[in-house]
Amino acid sequence: MRVICLAICLIIYATVQAQRISAPALIPAPVEMQLQPGAFQLQPGTVIVAPEELKTTATLLNEYIGFELPIQQTSTAKGIHLHIDANAVKEAEGYRLSISQNEIRITAHDEAGILHAIQTLRQLKNNNSFQSCTIKDYPRFAYRGMHLDVSRHFFPVSFVKHFIDILAQYKYNNFHWHLTDDQGWRIEIRKYPKLQSVAAWRDETLIGHKKELPHRFDGVKYGGYYTQEEVKEVIAYAAARQINVIPEIEMPGHALAALAAYPSLGCTGGPYKTATFWGIFDDVFCAGKDSTFNFLEDVLDEVIALFPSPWIHIGGDECPKTRWNACPLCRLRMQQEKLPDADALQSYFIKRINKHVRSKGRKIIGWDEILEGGLAEDAIVMSWRGTESGAARQVIMTPEDELYFDHYQSLYTEEPLAAGGYTPLPEVYAYEPLKDVKGIQGQLWSEYLPTITQAEYMLLPRAIALAEVAWSPQHVKDYFGFVRRLKKQSIQFNEDISYKENVVYKEKLLITLQGKAAIYYTTDGSIPDAKSKKYTAPITITRSCILKAKNEDRIFTQAFNIHKAVGATVTLAQAPNTRYTGNSNILVNGIFGSNRYNDQQWLGFSGRDLDAVIDLGTVQTVQQVGANILNYHWQRMWEPVSLKFYASEDGLNYKPIAEESRFPINGINNIRLKAGAVKARYIKVKGVNKGIIPTGEYGAGGNGLLMIDEIIVE
């Protein structure tokens, strides 16, 4: 019996010991890690041993671990040893970390590697001890960046430093500082004082979303800028944390704030005003005037003098050609330079700026529009519109769908206002860039980030997920493990309830809910609590209702609309040909798409007509037909010229039963039309696409996008 008891005790002890040395919550996950029993304990006699050139980094180590340890160049005392050896650690920014009961030893390829190891050490700290282990670590991508737009909303230096702290903690190495745009110029340029007194300010700011009509404004003057001394302060702060700061000075588009200050730089001469509205504007820097280039070269000279970054970002995106095509000086420039069109003029513009930047020993970065007309020599491309530009020589992947953190991260109705789209945490973590690219970067645009609190909410934890994508090798990535590590680090984020619908029979849905902890729900629209029905199996929906569900987090809400076509067979003559694609049966699944159009409930037809046939299964009396049409011209989403409904009993002979040609709402037009008690098994729906977007409208000359959600039969 004693032997059995001893064996049990040994098993329990071994289990406890295993738990004690369970894998720590490191983010990003290291390349290799081996844990050993024991720990290094910080004590009053502990010292940091570091050469003079690592004194700044050693000081940061003290700051991070919360101890004021003496920093010595040599010592035999128990301590933390910092050492650079590029022969022992071959990978740039790589490090080796060894922790025993007697010492902590960090050997790195360079000072950046030392700092990354310190960040790992910071995450390993448990009270005043560090778990014994050996770690081999280095980055997957050389460029790991995060972008912050301070033009639409201005953030103080204190927040910019906090932003940099977050980047350093998760081993980013580049901070992309978006300093100028239509809505504000945020950097002091001493040669042009009106950039501070005029361009840095706007009269008021849009209230709500730009898609909401009529537009409303707050009537409050808004603005600010960073002095050159503040810029130097931020750069030094970032450099100490091994982060390069890349300034962005937008050109030739997104220039309205600068034109407000110096109207002669535009094609028309103004007057101009700093934009109060989010969007793209026709007034851009005039490419036909040498004075434009003189101005921009002067600006860049001051910027280059401030920023040691090897790269200067010059924007290059979303530049309308309306003014250039009408401008005599721009047309003369095209003639003199033998340029076939205004797109080639933009390439000329970028290449001319590139020549100046290269003369200063730097290289330009631009959004992927700088590829149009030919890429400037040595230019680096930030690919935001897709993966096509990944074939360029030097590319940083910044895809809008996966890495724009101004997108919604949840489909909950109470989610704070955002730009659009839907980029949840799992999608960011699952992003896999093309091989052989320079690196990847997340974007935090600030149109809908009026406060620091909202900026942080949109940034985290998605930026942490991207950090692991950028640093860790593929074989160590694991989303569920990542979430567990987030929780261990006490990173707050919403684990929302999600749902999946299945049509199990005509006019009948089966709804599956998923989420952490116990879920309670109602179907009468009331707020659920612990006294409500507990979710244990899929919910059957046979009538229109509002399902609300709650666990530890927010309340999930989804309306279901049951009608005769729910679960019917849908046949499309032409498939949707946009990002808004999916199974045609989402047109009759009883779920209406939202005006955020990010819920995968909409089908989009670019330049194509809608031609759908709904098979109800049997001949029935149809009283009413309808559909939901999305009308957002600012997103190239146009109402159809007409929407017509036809009925047939045999699927061969159709007769018209209803038609609509008016779609007046900016947003969702809920079309409901009387059908006259017609007998039908088949309902055909035809929507005539707008075709080419008219001159003067956003996206003029391109195809209109017909967006349709539910086809309703009553």
Side-chain angles (χ1 to χ4, degrees):
M1 180 64 70
R2 288 180 180 177
V3 173
I4 295 173
C5 291
L6 178 61
I8 293 173
C9 289
L10 289 172
I11 292 171
I12 294 172
Y13 176 78
T15 302
V16 171
Q17 289 300 105
Q19 289 174 345
R20 283 180 179 170
I21 62 170
S22 62
L26 298 183
I27 303 175
V31 175
E32 295 178 13
M33 177 170 61
Q34 293 181 338
L35 302 177
Q36 289 100 29
F40 178 88
Q41 188 74 31
L42 289 175
Q43 296 174 350
T46 304
V47 299
I48 298 173
V49 183
E52 180 64 27
E53 61 268 24
L54 292 178
K55 187 174 182 180
T56 299
T57 305
T59 302
L60 277 176
L61 171 57
N62 270 334
E63 179 184 322
Y64 289 147
I65 64 176
F67 257 71
E68 196 62 41
L69 303 177
I71 300 171
Q72 302 176 4
Q73 292 189 34
T74 59
S75 176
T76 58
K78 182 176 181 180
I80 304 173
H81 297 259
L82 312 181
H83 179 58
I84 291 177
D85 186 343
N87 292 318
V89 181
K90 302 293 186 183
E91 306 88 1
E93 299 186 73
Y95 66 90
R96 305 294 183 267
L97 172 62
S98 175
I99 304 176
S100 68
Q101 291 179 334
N102 297 318
E103 68 174 8
I104 295 175
R105 185 166 293 276
I106 294 172
T107 304
H109 180 88
D110 45 29
E111 190 169 358
I114 296 287
L115 186 77
H116 297 324
I118 288 172
Q119 297 293 1
T120 298
L121 201 61
R122 181 182 181 185
Q123 294 184 28
L124 285 167
K125 184 172 180 283
N126 182 12
N127 294 322
N128 292 324
S129 68
F130 301 86
Q131 171 66 52
S132 293
C133 65
T134 57
I135 294 176
K136 176 183 178 181
D137 207 9
Y138 52 86
R140 180 183 180 192
F141 290 102
Y143 183 104
R144 307 175 304 283
M146 265 303 306
H147 155 286
L148 176 64
D149 168 21
V150 296
S151 299
R152 279 52 177 260
H153 281 100
F154 180 69
F155 298 101
V157 168
S158 58
F159 176 73
V160 176
K161 287 182 176 180
H162 175 60
F163 192 92
I164 289 168
D165 283 334
I166 293 170
L167 302 192
Q169 182 176 355
Y170 295 102
K171 299 183 174 65
Y172 283 93
N173 61 356
N174 284 280
F175 168 44
H176 176 175
W177 206 0
H178 186 92
L179 290 163
T180 75
D181 218 293
D182 296 296
Q183 293 81 13
W185 185 285
R186 304 294 179 218
I187 181 171
E188 178 188 16
I189 302 297
R190 290 171 179 169
K191 190 169 184 177
Y192 297 98
K194 287 186 179 179
L195 292 175
Q196 288 75 257
S197 61
V198 177
W201 304 90
R202 58 177 179 257
D203 291 341
E204 57 188 356
T205 301
L206 181 73
I207 296 173
H209 204 284
K210 66 178 181 179
K211 69 189 177 187
E212 297 169 357
L213 295 178
H215 292 142
R216 299 171 296 129
F217 297 87
D218 61 12
V220 178
K221 187 175 181 180
Y222 182 91
Y225 65 92
Y226 305 103
T227 67
Q228 292 198 4
E229 291 308 310
E230 288 175 321
V231 169
K232 291 176 184 177
E233 181 184 340
V234 167
I235 292 169
Y237 190 86
R241 289 151 182 80
Q242 298 300 312
I243 290 177
N244 175 55
V245 183
I246 302 170
E248 181 175 356
I249 308 298
E250 272 275 8
M251 61 186 81
H254 289 293
L256 203 50
L259 298 183
Y262 296 96
S264 64
L265 300 175
C267 290
T268 68
Y272 307 105
K273 294 185 72 175
T274 303
T276 59
F277 178 78
W278 321 129
I280 299 171
F281 301 90
D282 286 340
D283 288 303
V284 301
F285 287 119
C286 180
K289 297 176 180 177
D290 286 337
S291 58
T292 296
F293 294 96
N294 295 337
F295 167 82
L296 290 172
E297 288 170 4
D298 289 342
V299 167
L300 289 171
D301 286 349
E302 290 198 33
V303 169
I304 288 169
L306 288 168
F307 289 84
S309 169
W311 310 298
I312 305 297
H313 205 301
I314 50 82
D317 62 310
E318 298 178 328
C319 179
K321 309 303 188 296
T322 305
R323 296 288 186 257
W324 287 0
N325 284 324
C327 174
L329 292 176
C330 288
R331 292 201 303 270
L332 178 61
R333 177 83 73 189
M334 286 188 276
Q335 180 183 347
Q336 291 172 338
E337 299 293 333
K338 297 181 173 56
L339 304 174
D341 52 33
D343 288 334
L345 181 60
Q346 176 163 336
S347 180
Y348 164 85
F349 194 112
I350 298 299
K351 288 177 179 177
R352 183 164 170 175
I353 292 296
N354 181 58
K355 183 178 179 181
H356 180 77
V357 172
R358 291 184 76 241
S359 74
K360 303 294 181 179
R362 311 297 180 86
K363 295 180 181 181
I364 67 166
I365 300 180
W367 302 106
D368 58 41
E369 286 93 334
I370 69 171
L371 285 165
E372 297 165 5
L375 186 62
E377 185 178 358
D378 289 333
I380 297 170
V381 178
M382 282 191 168
S383 181
W384 70 279
R385 295 181 296 178
T387 60
E388 293 79 6
S389 53
R393 291 189 302 277
Q394 296 191 77
V395 173
I396 298 164
M397 299 305 297
T398 60
E400 180 180 13
D401 286 348
E402 295 90 353
L403 302 185
Y404 271 40
F405 298 159
D406 58 333
H407 288 187
Y408 288 98
Q409 54 189 319
S410 165
L411 296 178
Y412 272 37
T413 53
E414 66 267 34
E415 191 73 10
L417 185 67
Y422 175 45
T423 306
L425 183 66
E427 184 175 351
V428 177
Y429 193 84
Y431 174 66
E432 183 56 37
L434 297 172
K435 293 181 180 179
D436 302 321
V437 298
K438 190 175 185 68
I440 55 179
Q441 177 176 286
Q443 281 58 241
L444 192 64
W445 300 101
S446 68
E447 287 94 331
Y448 301 99
L449 306 181
T451 66
I452 288 173
T453 300
Q454 180 62 5
E456 276 206 69
Y457 174 72
M458 298 300 278
L459 180 69
L460 302 176
R462 289 184 290 186
I464 303 176
L466 180 59
E468 184 149 304
V469 176
W471 178 277
S472 304
Q474 286 178 282
H475 73 269
V476 304
K477 284 180 59 185
D478 167 27
Y479 177 71
F480 295 106
F482 169 74
V483 169
R484 285 194 295 271
R485 284 178 279 131
L486 271 182
K487 291 176 180 177
K488 283 186 177 181
Q489 289 196 10
S490 300
I491 304 297
Q492 299 298 315
F493 65 101
N494 294 313
E495 291 187 88
D496 293 337
I497 296 171
S498 62
Y499 77 97
K500 180 180 179 182
E501 81 282 354
N502 287 305
V503 180
V504 293
Y505 189 71
K506 278 182 79 291
E507 303 178 51
K508 183 177 180 181
L509 299 175
L510 203 61
I511 307 302
T512 303
L513 300 180
Q514 290 183 319
K516 69 172 185 177
I519 299 174
Y520 297 89
Y521 72 93
T522 63
T523 56
D524 60 1
S526 62
I527 303 298
D529 55 29
K531 296 179 181 178
S532 302
K533 192 168 184 179
K534 186 176 181 179
Y535 176 81
T536 56
I539 303 165
T540 301
I541 305 291
T542 57
R543 58 181 178 81
S544 296
C545 68
I546 297 176
L547 172 66
K548 289 183 180 288
K550 188 178 187 301
N551 54 12
E552 294 178 356
D553 291 317
R554 299 174 294 178
I555 296 173
F556 164 85
T557 302
Q558 179 61 54
F560 296 96
N561 301 274
I562 305 301
H563 52 88
K564 287 182 179 293
V566 169
T569 301
V570 181
T571 303
L572 295 175
Q574 294 189 93
N577 58 336
T578 66
R579 71 172 69 177
Y580 306 102
T581 60
N583 191 305
S584 60
N585 289 330
I586 68 173
L587 293 176
V588 290
N589 67 353
I591 301 169
F592 291 2
S594 73
N595 61 0
R596 296 175 180 175
Y597 56 88
N598 61 359
D599 46 21
Q600 300 179 336
Q601 295 298 322
W602 295 91
L603 294 186
F605 299 81
S606 177
R608 290 183 178 180
D609 294 341
L610 165 71
D611 191 339
V613 173
I614 313 297
D615 181 0
L616 301 176
T618 59
V619 175
Q620 302 182 42
T621 300
V622 175
Q623 302 277 3
Q624 180 175 270
V625 291
N628 296 337
I629 300 293
L630 188 57
N631 178 10
Y632 282 146
H633 292 185
W634 67 279
Q635 276 295 82
R636 302 184 178 92
M637 299 172 181
W638 280 74
E639 69 280 10
V641 175
S642 63
L643 187 67
K644 298 180 180 181
F645 295 82
Y646 304 83
S648 172
E649 292 187 40
D650 58 9
L652 299 173
N653 301 294
Y654 286 90
K655 63 179 181 180
I657 56 172
E659 177 179 354
E660 183 60 84
S661 58
R662 293 182 64 257
F663 307 86
I665 296 173
N666 176 70
I668 299 175
N669 287 259
N670 298 304
I671 306 303
R672 305 292 184 266
L673 304 171
K674 298 295 183 183
V678 64
K679 295 288 186 181
R681 172 177 172 174
Y682 301 92
I683 301 295
K684 180 179 286 189
V685 187
K686 287 191 173 184
V688 179
N689 194 290
K690 175 68 176 180
I692 302 300
I693 298 173
T695 302
E697 297 282 356
Y698 178 65
N703 288 328
L705 179 58
L706 192 162
M707 295 280 285
I708 185 169
D709 170 31
E710 193 81 356
I711 296 176
I712 297 154
V713 179
E714 298 282 13

